[in-house]
Amino acid sequence: MYNHTLHQQIIRKLQDQQIDIAGTDNLFFTRFIANATAIDALYNEIYGRHPEQQHYFDQLIRVISHAYTSRPVALKNRDKEKENKGVWFLSNEIAGMSLYVDRFAGSLAALSEKLTYFNQLGVNLLHLMPVFESPEGESDGGYAVSDFRQVDKRFGTNEDLGKLQQHMQQENMYLMLDIVLNHTSHHHQWAVQAKKGDKKYQDYFYMFDDRALPDQYDRSMPEVFPESSPGNFTYIEAIKKWVMTVFHRYQWDLNYRNPAVFMEMLENIFYYANLGIDILRIDAPAFIWKEPGTTCQNLPQAHTLLRLIKQCVQVAAPGMALLGEAIVAPKEIMKYFGTGLYTAKECDFAYNATHMALQWDALATGDTRVMLAAQHEILQKPFGTSWINYTRCHDDIGLGYDNYMIQHAGFDPFEHRRFLKDYYSGNRHDSPAMGALFSVNPKTNDARISGSLASLCGLEKALADNDSTAVDISIRKILMMQAHAFFLGGVPMLFYGDEAGYTNDYSYLKDPGKSYDNRWMHRPVIDWKKNGNINKKGTIENRIFSGTKKLISIRNRITAVADHKNITWMTPHNIHIAGYLRTFEDKKLYCLFNFTDQPAYLTWFAFKEHGPAPLRLWEHWEEKEIGVGYDHEYLVLEPYGFMLLEPV
Ligand code: GLC
């Protein structure tokens, strides 16, 4: 939209900074002007009534321009290359892994030496769990940051990170890092100053002299860690104030009502962008705006701030995609892609958390109806955005999908969730899963689930029982779960260790900095001797690794798997089988998954409901050709088996 005054203001500011708007920097200038009205409107929606509104808006223009002028030429070129690909991250040729640098490789420098491992597996995107400074013992796995710009000594130096990024770039790999937007560690300089009584920095946080407002907030705010960190406020004796601490008491919530906080964090975002990050994972964005009387999650202002961030990034670092880590109700997750005028202009990615949990639901029940009942919501994702698909990550599995989805399948939500919690936490004799309940809240009956992919699929128990048939079944389950997530559409994100069948690691119980948080049971320390087995034919590690690798390579070859919003769920002729069809131009891929321990039968009619019926199909997983039968005949899927069928 044309806005003369605003555009003139921007032009003057850019010229002050020697930016050549008519020459070399013209593309940047064009992007700035194209996004200016949106930036102005979004900024004013939040800060329009702030007494220093103009001062901070000028600063915003400076921050964006500085981000651009300090962006290394190599990254500017990479931005252009990505732009030439259309929406680069929708590709079927990206597969990621999320890992803790220290637990995986020891250090950033050592990780740089491990790139061949990822190459062997087919992984070309790495999500490094937080690497910036955070106090040992009070780090929440790095999500309590005490310095946003200093790599923690545990992992190496800023230089090591730079070298790793360059090395990855040479190898055509992508890098994903976090910005922990919602809070800082109480050891961050801002918190330290606030604790010394500095008013300026006290305004960076939500601080109160008495319990009046905290009590009001607490009445409507849920608790994130009710067991280990009940309540949402912590008393700071030194200044006799209550500070908002939604996560742990050592994670202080930042106050985005203060524009100074927004500017500082935007500068940090650009600092990360200019390190060469391809995907920025915005940690816990649902929480960044608080309003008494609400849950303080998913508020409209949180979306406005994210949109503002997106438009600014679009101008100065257009190659960096944003992932909103919103692990919330299905309808709410969808809003992080943007709505209305901002559809597909907020976060580029979100975690497909609803579907992830539904896979575990289907695996426990052997029934895919709840999964299906949720799809009309999940399919709302706008074109041009994508999912991070996964079976496990460093966090727990929350059963946060809606009750009506469970009811549609004919189950009682309370009993159904109780069954799932019992099934995965070792509370049922008929379950091979070995996990644990996380963050049990006796007030709401809510609980989530911890445990590694292998342990939840029964491998730990099978090994303890020395039962080779059970080992085989667990491996089938692991690969079926991975395949189901890999072909959905979106970027598959493995969790390190899962590619080699790591079961739960209980050593966290001996570490007082971790023992209160059982998510550590599924965050293994990699034993490279064990991982060496990936190359020894027939070992468990080899079977899982080579299966995972094969899935990635099949995915890389089939363009219909790229995320063009091209997924259609097949009619559920058999409730034990989840089937979806991926189509692109004249290509089709039928993906079928049997979630039970029995053979499952699917009428061949299922293949005749979506355009011309194929006569013969190539099954990519077992590499065999199959003829399509008559409608009264059946295709049979093995227990926990799956098929990836392409018409020939
Ligand atoms: C995100 C992280 C989680 C962390 C929380 C607080 O949800 O994934 O591990 O505890 O944010 O930063």
Side-chain angles (χ1 to χ4, degrees):
M1 203 193 290
Y2 182 61
N3 183 335
H4 181 74
T5 323
L6 175 65
H7 293 173
Q8 288 308 310
Q9 187 188 352
I10 292 172
I11 290 169
R12 272 196 308 278
K13 288 264 172 327
L14 300 191
Q15 284 170 337
D16 286 352
Q17 289 178 67
Q18 320 293 324
I19 291 176
D20 182 5
I21 62 173
T24 42
D25 304 318
N26 185 254
L27 213 56
F28 164 70
F29 171 66
T30 313
R31 287 199 301 268
F32 210 152
I33 295 302
N35 287 279
T37 305
I39 291 176
D40 180 59
L42 292 164
Y43 170 84
N44 280 304
E45 222 175 291
I46 300 286
Y47 302 115
R49 290 175 186 199
H50 191 275
E52 290 178 277
Q53 178 269 356
Q54 192 55 49
H55 163 78
Y56 283 109
F57 191 70
D58 288 346
Q59 190 178 339
L60 181 61
I61 299 176
R62 272 200 310 277
V63 169
I64 298 172
S65 323
H66 180 256
Y68 168 74
T69 51
S70 52
R71 190 157 178 80
V73 177
L75 292 180
K76 287 181 180 164
N77 292 338
R78 200 166 153 94
D79 288 341
K80 278 189 212 130
E81 281 164 29
K82 285 180 179 161
E83 221 164 319
N84 292 338
K85 292 185 186 165
V87 187
W88 65 271
F89 52 78
L90 303 182
S91 161
N92 54 305
E93 292 175 307
I94 305 176
M97 182 184 279
S98 182
L99 58 88
Y100 289 95
V101 171
D102 51 347
R103 301 172 87 76
F104 183 84
S107 67
L108 286 161
L111 183 62
S112 222
E113 304 298 312
K114 291 267 183 259
L115 298 194
T116 47
Y117 180 80
F118 303 114
N119 197 282
Q120 187 183 349
L121 183 59
V123 158
N124 58 356
L125 161 69
L126 295 187
H127 169 214
L128 309 188
M129 299 298 293
V131 289
F132 292 94
E133 216 173 78
S134 93
E136 186 127 36
E138 288 186 332
S139 83
D140 186 20
Y143 286 104
V145 182
S146 49
D147 188 332
F148 288 103
R149 307 228 181 159
Q150 188 62 49
V151 166
D152 199 296
K153 284 194 287 295
R154 268 174 283 167
F155 309 115
T157 62
N158 286 26
E159 214 192 340
D160 294 336
L161 180 60
K163 279 194 194 143
L164 173 69
Q165 189 277 332
Q166 278 179 8
H167 192 177
M168 285 176 63
Q169 198 164 322
Q170 280 156 13
E171 298 289 319
N172 289 319
M173 293 179 76
Y174 297 106
L175 176 63
M176 172 163 141
L177 292 186
D178 281 81
I179 177 88
V180 186
L181 210 57
N182 181 65
H183 43 257
T184 71
S185 152
H186 68 139
H187 286 297
H188 189 285
Q189 264 314 306
W190 302 337
V192 172
Q193 292 304 324
K195 267 189 265 190
K196 284 187 185 151
D198 188 330
K199 178 85 187 67
K200 172 178 167 192
Y201 290 105
Q202 288 185 350
D203 281 348
Y204 274 41
F205 301 97
Y206 285 88
M207 289 213 157
F208 305 98
D209 293 330
D210 55 41
R211 284 289 314 181
L213 264 165
D215 283 342
Q216 208 181 323
Y217 273 111
D218 265 343
R219 274 196 284 278
S220 53
M221 277 172 101
E223 292 164 306
V224 178
F225 299 130
E227 282 175 315
S228 59
S229 225
N232 287 293
F233 293 87
T234 301
Y235 189 63
I236 310 300
E237 184 61 49
I239 43 173
K240 307 221 172 316
K241 283 183 195 288
W242 291 89
V243 65
M244 189 184 278
T245 52
V246 170
F247 289 85
H248 294 100
R249 50 165 191 80
Y250 52 78
Q251 287 163 306
W252 289 19
D253 286 60
L254 286 166
N255 172 15
Y256 282 92
R257 289 163 189 271
N258 180 353
V261 170
F262 180 79
M263 296 306 156
E264 299 252 28
M265 292 308 283
L266 185 65
E267 282 187 87
N268 287 331
I269 287 174
F270 281 130
Y271 176 78
Y272 292 170
N274 287 348
L275 290 179
I277 291 181
D278 299 288
I279 303 177
L280 181 70
R281 179 187 185 275
I282 300 182
D283 185 62
F287 295 84
I288 59 176
W289 193 268
K290 279 88 177 178
E291 207 65 68
T294 73
T295 57
C296 298
Q297 289 183 29
N298 307 309
L299 296 183
Q301 294 88 339
H303 288 284
T304 306
L305 288 169
L306 291 171
R307 289 168 187 189
L308 180 52
I309 291 170
K310 174 67 192 164
Q311 314 314 307
C312 297
V313 167
Q314 187 66 36
V315 172
M320 184 172 78
L322 302 183
L323 158 63
E325 188 253 346
I327 312 299
V328 291
K331 258 201 183 64
E332 295 297 335
I333 294 184
M334 218 52 67
K335 295 184 188 157
Y336 287 84
F337 292 117
T339 50
L341 275 179
Y342 289 93
T343 302
K345 291 192 177 76
E346 194 173 313
C347 294
D348 303 292
F349 281 104
Y351 282 96
N352 205 348
T354 305
H355 197 88
M356 180 276 294
L358 288 167
Q359 283 191 227
W360 289 105
D361 181 310
L363 189 72
T365 59
D367 184 328
T368 62
R369 284 177 296 173
V370 184
M371 177 187 275
L372 259 128
Q375 295 309 321
H376 68 285
E377 299 266 9
I378 298 176
L379 291 173
Q380 301 303 316
K381 179 177 70 61
F383 183 79
T385 61
S386 202
W387 292 117
I388 295 290
N389 287 315
Y390 61 122
T391 51
R392 291 299 293 114
C393 70
H394 69 287
D395 280 330
D396 44 284
I397 303 168
L399 307 170
Y401 37 93
D402 297 305
N403 284 348
Y404 82 82
M405 296 167 179
I406 301 176
Q407 282 158 339
H408 272 195
F411 302 122
D412 172 73
F414 179 80
E415 290 303 330
H416 186 72
R417 287 202 177 87
R418 178 152 70 187
F419 165 76
L420 295 173
K421 288 182 280 184
D422 286 347
Y423 185 92
Y424 286 116
S425 63
N427 259 341
R428 287 184 69 99
H429 294 302
D430 56 351
S431 165
M434 288 185 74
L437 294 183
F438 174 69
S439 271
V440 179
N441 191 337
K443 287 177 241 163
T444 59
N445 259 313
D446 189 32
R448 285 114 74 183
I449 294 156
S450 284
S452 76
L453 174 68
S455 291
L456 294 180
C457 285
L459 182 60
E460 185 176 338
K461 184 165 187 310
L463 289 172
D465 296 348
N466 209 1
D467 179 342
S468 64
T469 312
V471 167
D472 291 350
I473 295 173
S474 71
I475 295 178
R476 293 181 73 86
K477 284 187 185 178
I478 290 170
L479 293 174
M480 190 272 288
M481 289 288 278
Q482 296 291 47
H484 184 88
F486 282 17
F487 287 86
L488 271 174
V491 169
M493 184 66 77
L494 288 156
F495 189 59
Y496 80 108
D498 289 347
E499 82 288 6
Y502 273 73
T503 53
N504 292 339
D505 176 346
Y506 299 102
S507 63
Y508 78 99
L509 289 166
K510 290 186 220 115
D511 179 342
K514 298 189 172 74
S515 56
Y516 60 88
D517 185 340
N518 69 22
R519 290 177 298 175
W520 286 101
M521 74 167 60
H522 54 253
R523 300 170 177 174
V525 176
I526 293 303
D527 165 4
W528 284 97
K529 238 169 88 197
K530 175 178 163 67
N531 282 46
N533 288 341
I534 61 164
N535 296 316
K536 284 198 200 122
K537 224 170 159 31
T539 60
I540 292 174
E541 293 82 1
N542 168 265
R543 289 163 69 190
I544 299 176
F545 187 93
S546 51
T548 311
K549 175 187 163 104
K550 183 168 180 181
L551 289 173
I552 298 176
S553 79
I554 298 172
R555 198 178 171 275
N556 284 347
R557 292 198 302 271
I558 304 178
T559 46
V561 184
D563 190 3
H564 297 288
K565 202 170 157 57
N566 49 342
I567 180 168
T568 308
W569 283 82
M570 293 168 71
T571 314
H573 292 283
N574 179 337
I575 58 167
H576 307 303
I577 299 175
Y580 54 76
L581 173 64
R582 306 298 315 277
T583 41
F584 186 58
E585 295 171 346
D586 58 345
K587 299 261 185 260
K588 272 187 183 164
L589 185 74
Y590 297 89
C591 307
L592 298 170
F593 306 87
N594 176 7
F595 277 86
T596 61
D597 58 0
Q598 302 294 318
Y601 294 72
L602 183 70
T603 161
W604 283 107
F605 180 68
F607 293 86
K608 302 176 184 169
E609 297 176 301
H610 306 276
L615 293 176
R616 300 197 69 73
L617 297 159
W618 175 253
E619 204 288 297
H620 284 272
W621 178 242
E622 289 194 347
E623 300 177 27
K624 57 179 187 207
E625 200 174 305
I626 308 177
V628 174
Y630 294 109
D631 295 355
H632 63 275
E633 294 176 333
Y634 295 94
L635 169 68
V636 185
L637 277 97
E638 295 295 306
Y640 301 114
F642 63 92
M643 289 190 177
L644 305 166
L645 300 155
E646 193 177 4
V648 286

